[in-house]
Amino acid sequence: MQKLIALYALILSLIILPSCKDAQNPSKETAMEPQFGGNVTVGISSDVDVLNPLFSQDIISGTINDLIFGALNYSEFDLEKGELVYLPNLANSWEISPDNRSVKYHLNIALRWSDGYKFTADDVQFSYYLYTHPEVGSVRQDMTSYFISEGKTKVEIEKAVKVENDSTVVFNFNQSADDPLFVSGLPILPKHIFEKIKLKDLFVNDVNQNPVGIGPFKFQKWDKQQQIILVRNDSVNYIKIPYLEKLTFKILPDYNNRINQLKSGEIDLAQNLRPEDAQTIKKDFNKLNVEKISGRDYDYIGWNCIDHEQFVNSGNKKITPHKLFGDSKVRQALTYAINRKEMLEGFFGEFGNIAVTPISSIFKTKANTDLLPYEFNPNKAKQLLSESGWKDSNDDKIIDKNGIPFKFKLMIPAGKPQREYAATIIKINLLAVGIEVEIEVVEPSVFFENMFTKKYDAWIAGWTIPLDLDFEGFWSSDLEKNFFNVTSYQNKEVDEIFAKLKLTNDIEATRELLFRFQEILHRDQPTTFLYWVDNLVGYNVRLKNLQLNPLAFTNRAWEWFVVSEK
Amino acid sequence: MFLRRFLRRIFASAVMLIALITIVFFLVRLVPGDPTHQYYSPKLGSELADRVKVQFGLDQPVHVQFLKWFGNLAAGDLGYSISFRKPVIDVILTALPVTLTLAVLALIFQMFLGILFGTLAGANPNSKLDNTINIGSLVIYCAPSFLIGLFLIYFGSVKLGLFPTSHLHSTEYEDFSAVNQFLDFLHHIFLPVLTLTITSAAFTTRFVRESLSNVLSQPFITALRSTGMGERKLVLSHALPNSLLPLITLLGIEIGSLLSGALITETIFSLPGLGRLTVDAIFSRDYPLVIGCTLISGFLVITGNFIADMLHAKLDARVSFETIG
């Protein structure tokens, strides 16, 4: 048996150990003239769901849809300014009314759909008719809550998206929109194709697999579970004609396979590399480079603030504080007791940052940088716990209060090694202050069902933060309405902040409100914010002009070009 | 008489398949998780998810869904896949040929290699050759197939650069001539088939070896040997054919293990087959697709066993239809 184990170890080490080359970082790119032509292959971890922005859910589908379909404006995150900026796209220009209640777009009607049909203002109105119609059931419907509507659900499309003439469309909102360009920036769909399909059949129609759009790339082919091929869209009078001839998304579910193909040159780009691979690649492969996208994703420990059982048994009425985590002082103590620096250094190396609030530092004007992370301080944690009445009264090394020992299960969804690593550190750290933690890894579907129904006491998960920084669904007190408020945190002042944010579009006032919101969360610690996870993108250096953006790694993919290898 | 027994056997197979479907149908719904989770949103809450549930009939009680599903099955309708937004049958029909190609090729090679090495070992009991084959096949049989797959990728693709590591075709496949398309396909499928073949061949080798040495120790062999018949003729013409009969039963069982082996192979080599489809469907709780996949793979396994039993009964006079029921 031991021999067998030794054999496995040998085989494994052969597979894992990378072939060592001269350590040399890729030389800094010199300015290079872009050239037309060339194919680029991107490795992705799973197949896309649908190629239709009405229904696409996962991030990679959205990314590919954005290359095939265009919106009236093109948005990207300006890292200098720390906010979203908008550039002309299907519309050449626009005017926003001073009260933020309407936007007038002037369309570029010289454009044509990839099947040759003319692009008109009717396409815009019809697209929003589909996005807002309850019978379609678009997943983007939540972005149209500002649109003028009769009653609660049905949007009055003629008024909300008014066609003035062939090239002019006006969006009208029933209140001042936080970001009018964001809500009017959904991908536009071809009316001449969609009007032929019954609304209720859209969900399962073939059109979801064969998109026609106006984007920098044209859809060519989708081999399920294999690849999606896009080709340059040069058939239209379009400002974004790509340099690349062909852009292929190759579906490679096995992580090691993706990395191997990146190393062998079979694919040119892969994202979400593990930190250890990013380091090896940077060191040992001079034809590969790694860059990171920061500030969108964080991991946290959720503490259930209320007693879930009593809440459910009382018909979602009775709010009683959770017996362990109901007290904010206890939650502060838990954050003090956990060594987040060790998690970062041990797992992420140079890739990642400690998280303090749900707004990362890439939002330069909105992140409250006055708030410092809770330091790792077990003594402070013990003191806070003892002030809240948690003491080891029976000398079993576990603190207790009213006869209840401080023990709980920490749940984590399977599949993210970083969370298992963090959980181990948490278990050790908390034991040092007299708290016993049992870690349980759960299959993701089961995990998320229980997390959303608030059955867990404590768990580790992550969020991707919305770029419009609208946090109401995550943190406001109405537990029945906002089931994304998974910790059941309730605070009146936070609710007031959300109400005020809706009424103002003054930049300074918005900033102050968001600063106060972060202060309150920082004080109450309904979750222990762990770290911001960098998306590590590895790519072949033959691929030039990559412009990674928190919005997407394919940002400005029409500007990508390749140079032939020497 | 034969026909009646044949029909009885078919009936038993159908009952087995229905039982399997029923169990899986209720089982997947007992597991926590919800295929419409992805439709939750911070602004709409569960509104959209609820609508999708209605669209796919998931809001109804499970037994109603079950009866409906069976009613539709009679009309040849397996329902819609939630994640693919396509009829389940279409989704399965694109995946099935991949898995069948893999399994059939692997089955042929596995039988060939298994019988070859099994005979070599069994005909020379306790020789060096026998020991080597024995130990070799044991080690390979114990090794998980994902490890063999990774091992082959490492040497075949990464180290030697001889074979592609994934997919069925090259990206430029469509520009190739018909001959080159076929060669490209063979080039791509070589490592996956090898991965699948190796583990099963190890098992067949051991099976044939044991069976052959059993036959060789039987009195009729001793009798034949005493007539002065050459050892080679003795093994190839008399012992081997007799020892291969039980292999036919094994063949039926092998279809099941090849299907499950294909799952791992398909994931490692990124092939769009039925195994990977089933697992993806389970993880995303795509109930109609899970049931569809179960039905098809259940059908394949049961049919495989059925055919193997029939063959066995035809070829071996000692086994009658009575005994296999």
Side-chain angles (χ1 to χ4, degrees):
Chain A
M1 192 60 199
Q2 269 181 335
K3 271 186 189 167
L4 216 59
I5 292 170
L7 180 70
Y8 282 166
L10 177 72
I11 294 167
L12 270 177
S13 66
L14 280 174
I15 294 162
I16 292 161
L17 283 179
S19 54
C20 286
K21 291 184 183 174
D22 288 337
Q24 187 193 343
N25 284 326
S27 52
K28 277 277 160 214
E29 278 179 35
T30 45
M32 217 172 289
E33 274 298 301
Q35 35 194 297
F36 277 93
N39 304 337
V40 162
T41 307
V42 172
I44 55 177
S45 61
S46 61
D47 205 352
V48 307
D49 47 14
V50 281
L51 289 176
N52 179 351
L54 285 173
F55 303 119
S56 73
Q57 279 284 338
D58 57 72
I59 294 172
I60 193 68
S61 312
T63 307
I64 296 174
N65 278 330
D66 285 345
L67 298 171
I68 301 171
F69 294 92
L72 295 179
N73 53 57
Y74 182 83
S75 56
E76 64 184 4
F77 194 83
D78 188 323
L79 289 162
E80 294 273 304
K81 288 188 191 160
E83 60 188 30
L84 279 179
V85 291
Y86 299 91
L87 308 166
N89 197 25
L90 303 191
N92 290 322
S93 61
W94 51 79
E95 295 115 39
I96 305 170
S97 70
D99 61 356
N100 270 11
R101 291 186 62 162
S102 78
V103 205
K104 182 185 266 190
Y105 281 100
H106 303 284
L107 312 181
N108 176 3
I109 50 165
L111 295 174
R112 280 173 186 275
W113 292 97
S114 59
D115 59 0
Y117 276 76
K118 272 185 150 181
F119 165 63
T120 71
D122 287 338
D123 290 317
V124 178
Q125 192 189 53
F126 194 75
S127 302
Y128 278 87
Y129 165 72
L130 296 176
Y131 282 120
T132 54
H133 202 292
E135 206 174 321
V136 175
S138 167
V139 297
R140 306 275 177 288
Q141 206 181 330
D142 65 346
M143 277 180 69
T144 59
S145 55
Y146 289 112
F147 285 46
I148 285 186
S149 53
E150 28 176 280
K152 248 193 104 181
T153 47
K154 196 149 180 287
V155 171
E156 280 179 273
I157 201 69
E158 304 283 335
K159 281 188 199 158
V161 184
K162 195 172 169 210
V163 176
E164 285 200 345
N165 55 49
D166 250 10
S167 65
T168 318
V169 176
V170 184
F171 284 75
N172 294 305
F173 309 122
N174 51 16
Q175 63 182 74
S176 98
D178 282 345
D179 191 343
L181 295 178
F182 187 74
V183 296
S184 56
L186 289 172
I188 302 301
L189 302 160
K191 184 182 176 187
H192 65 275
I193 289 176
F194 281 85
E195 68 183 352
K196 291 179 195 145
I197 307 164
K198 277 190 198 148
L199 292 187
K200 66 174 177 50
D201 296 341
L202 268 175
F203 202 71
V204 289
N205 194 277
D206 261 357
V207 77
N208 296 326
Q209 274 96 33
N210 297 295
V212 169
I214 311 175
F217 289 89
K218 257 195 307 199
F219 169 79
Q220 193 188 45
K221 195 163 164 251
W222 180 4
D223 299 328
K224 278 274 177 190
Q225 309 281 357
Q226 295 279 283
Q227 58 184 358
I228 294 157
I229 303 175
L230 308 182
V231 290
R232 173 199 293 149
N233 184 8
D234 48 10
S235 65
V236 290
N237 176 16
Y238 193 53
I239 47 169
K240 301 180 177 78
I241 291 180
Y243 292 113
L244 297 181
E245 188 75 44
K246 192 151 110 180
L247 180 57
T248 305
F249 291 86
K250 196 170 173 186
I251 298 138
L252 298 163
D254 186 67
Y255 174 81
N256 291 314
N257 199 343
R258 271 195 317 278
I259 297 299
N260 277 335
Q261 297 208 5
L262 186 65
K263 288 176 183 170
S264 69
E266 283 174 83
I267 60 172
D268 298 295
L269 185 148
Q271 53 168 353
N272 297 317
L273 304 190
R274 293 184 188 144
E276 69 266 25
D277 289 316
Q279 263 142 0
T280 329
I281 281 174
K282 270 182 125 173
K283 233 175 74 200
D284 298 337
F285 289 82
N286 48 17
K287 63 167 196 217
L288 298 177
N289 199 2
V290 177
E291 280 184 45
K292 59 182 182 182
I293 303 176
S294 307
R296 279 301 295 279
D297 302 296
Y298 69 84
D299 278 0
Y300 67 92
I301 316 170
W303 311 113
N304 200 342
C305 298
I306 64 165
D307 189 315
H308 180 69
E309 224 164 279
Q310 293 209 24
F311 180 67
V312 174
N313 291 344
S314 64
N316 296 356
K317 284 197 181 74
K318 196 173 166 199
I319 304 280
T320 32
H322 191 276
K323 65 181 192 308
L324 302 177
F325 310 119
D327 179 355
S328 65
K329 214 175 219 178
V330 170
R331 299 193 299 262
Q332 286 169 5
L334 291 163
T335 308
Y336 274 120
I338 292 167
N339 192 345
R340 292 177 286 179
K341 218 170 149 215
E342 193 187 340
M343 289 173 200
L344 267 179
E345 284 169 0
F347 193 89
F348 293 98
E350 59 190 291
F351 308 109
N353 297 90
I354 289 184
V356 187
T357 77
I359 301 181
S360 78
S361 58
I362 64 163
F363 298 91
K364 286 192 173 159
T365 54
K366 311 259 172 75
N368 189 342
T369 44
D370 298 339
L371 301 171
L372 298 174
Y374 284 53
E375 55 186 331
F376 171 54
N377 189 341
N379 289 332
K380 176 95 181 161
K382 279 183 198 161
Q383 181 204 327
L384 286 170
L385 285 167
S386 132
E387 280 169 26
S388 323
W390 291 94
K391 284 173 189 148
D392 184 8
S393 61
N394 52 1
D395 279 334
D396 66 346
K397 303 233 164 82
I398 302 298
I399 53 173
D400 51 81
K401 184 178 170 181
N402 306 330
I404 304 170
F406 207 131
K407 287 181 182 174
F408 66 91
K409 265 191 190 170
L410 181 66
M411 316 299 291
I412 39 178
K416 294 251 176 173
Q418 77 216 30
R419 292 183 190 153
E420 288 174 37
Y421 187 87
T424 315
I425 291 178
I426 292 164
K427 185 183 165 96
I428 297 167
N429 287 162
L430 292 186
L431 192 61
V433 296
I435 296 173
E436 195 180 311
V437 182
E438 192 188 324
I439 301 168
E440 196 173 316
V441 184
V442 189
E443 194 253 328
S445 280
V446 178
F447 176 88
F448 288 111
E449 168 146 323
N450 289 330
M451 183 187 84
F452 279 123
T453 48
K454 296 161 186 167
K455 282 185 187 143
Y456 292 148
D457 295 320
W459 67 93
I460 303 180
W463 289 124
T464 300
I465 53 164
L467 281 171
D468 60 353
L469 298 183
D470 184 349
F471 291 103
E472 189 182 0
F474 298 89
W475 297 104
S476 72
S477 300
D478 186 342
L479 297 184
E480 277 196 72
K481 201 173 129 219
N482 300 316
F483 68 62
F484 270 64
N485 180 357
V486 280
T487 57
S488 301
Y489 172 69
Q490 291 176 307
N491 183 299
K492 280 214 175 86
E493 197 184 341
V494 168
D495 295 341
E496 279 163 25
I497 289 175
F498 290 134
K500 283 182 192 158
L501 276 170
K502 272 190 191 154
L503 297 175
T504 181
N505 48 38
D506 178 68
I507 295 173
E508 194 48 39
T510 305
R511 196 177 77 95
E512 270 174 31
L513 288 166
L514 284 174
F515 266 43
R516 180 64 191 146
F517 162 66
Q518 293 171 78
E519 259 172 49
I520 297 169
L521 285 193
H522 189 254
R523 181 197 68 204
D524 288 352
Q525 293 289 304
T527 66
T528 294
F529 297 96
L530 291 174
Y531 40 74
W532 292 97
V533 185
D534 290 339
N535 176 4
L536 303 174
V537 180
Y539 64 95
N540 197 309
V541 291
R542 82 184 188 101
L543 174 57
K544 303 289 179 194
N545 221 358
L546 202 65
Q547 306 195 32
L548 300 179
N549 195 273
L551 216 53
F553 71 94
T554 48
N555 179 48
R556 292 179 180 247
W558 64 87
E559 291 179 3
W560 291 3
F561 65 97
V562 288
V563 288
S564 43
E565 282 172 60
K566 283 165 204 149
Chain B
M1 211 51 171
F2 175 83
L3 188 70
R4 226 177 90 191
R5 285 172 185 162
F6 179 78
L7 288 177
R8 207 171 68 192
R9 190 69 171 76
I10 285 199
F11 179 72
S13 299
V15 170
M16 214 169 355
L17 196 57
I18 291 171
L20 171 77
I21 293 293
T22 313
I23 293 169
V24 173
F25 198 100
F26 287 95
L27 211 60
V28 285
R29 281 167 172 76
L30 279 179
V31 181
D34 182 342
T36 60
H37 263 165
Q38 44 173 327
Y39 299 101
Y40 289 173
S41 96
K43 284 182 185 133
L44 290 176
S46 66
E47 199 181 302
L48 197 63
D50 295 341
R51 222 178 293 143
V52 174
K53 269 189 198 139
V54 175
Q55 200 145 11
F56 284 93
L58 298 173
D59 54 327
Q60 292 162 333
V62 183
H63 65 274
V64 176
Q65 292 181 38
F66 182 70
L67 291 176
K68 261 198 177 159
W69 186 86
F70 254 98
N72 291 340
L73 181 67
D77 178 8
L78 292 179
Y80 273 89
S81 152
I82 301 169
S83 41
F84 283 85
R85 289 154 193 273
K86 271 178 150 186
V88 166
I89 191 74
D90 290 358
V91 179
I92 290 179
L93 284 180
T94 51
L96 191 60
V98 177
T99 304
L100 284 184
T101 314
L102 268 182
V104 169
L105 288 177
L107 195 65
I108 294 170
F109 291 127
Q110 166 214 334
M111 286 298 157
F112 175 74
L113 292 176
I115 292 172
L116 178 71
F117 287 114
T119 312
L120 284 176
N124 308 290
N126 302 323
S127 66
K128 251 192 185 161
L129 184 68
D130 181 30
N131 287 339
T132 316
I133 292 176
N134 239 341
I135 293 171
S137 60
L138 180 69
V139 170
I140 291 173
Y141 181 63
C142 293
S145 57
F146 79 89
L147 199 66
I148 292 177
L150 288 178
F151 194 77
L152 289 175
I153 288 183
Y154 182 75
F155 281 105
S157 306
V158 180
K159 271 274 148 180
L160 302 173
L162 292 178
F163 296 99
T165 53
S166 72
H167 292 67
L168 285 176
H169 308 294
S170 308
T171 331
E172 314 83 36
Y173 179 72
E174 307 222 316
D175 308 333
F176 294 167
S177 67
V179 177
N180 282 345
Q181 283 191 352
F182 183 65
L183 291 177
D184 182 63
F185 172 70
L186 288 185
H187 191 206
H188 277 78
I189 202 131
F190 183 80
L191 286 186
V193 169
L194 191 60
T195 307
L196 205 52
T197 304
I198 286 180
T199 14
S200 345
F203 182 66
T204 318
T205 301
R206 295 186 68 77
F207 191 89
V208 172
R209 188 217 171 260
E210 286 314 308
S211 175
L212 186 63
S213 56
N214 269 342
V215 174
L216 282 175
S217 64
Q218 278 177 20
F220 82 96
I221 294 290
T222 320
L224 280 174
R225 202 174 266 142
S226 65
T227 64
M229 184 185 275
E231 198 64 17
R232 177 183 280 256
K233 194 178 176 204
L234 188 76
V235 171
L236 292 181
S237 313
H238 296 279
L240 190 60
N242 279 297
S243 65
L244 290 187
L245 275 178
L247 200 64
I248 295 169
T249 325
L250 184 73
L251 208 76
I253 301 166
E254 265 304 296
I255 292 176
S257 75
L258 279 173
L259 285 179
S260 57
L263 150 70
I264 295 157
T265 317
E266 282 161 11
T267 309
I268 296 176
F269 291 96
S270 312
L271 303 174
L274 192 64
R276 206 174 121 202
L277 189 72
T278 314
V279 171
D280 286 352
I282 293 171
F283 280 129
S284 62
R285 302 287 190 272
D286 188 344
Y287 300 138
L289 192 55
V290 174
I291 304 298
C293 291
T294 312
L295 179 73
I296 300 298
S297 21
F299 178 77
L300 290 178
V301 172
I302 290 174
T303 314
N305 276 306
F306 177 68
I307 294 174
D309 283 353
M310 290 288 144
L311 275 177
H312 197 186
K314 266 262 168 256
L315 296 177
D316 192 340
R318 289 166 302 172
V319 183
S320 73
F321 281 106
E322 293 301 350
T323 49
I324 57 170

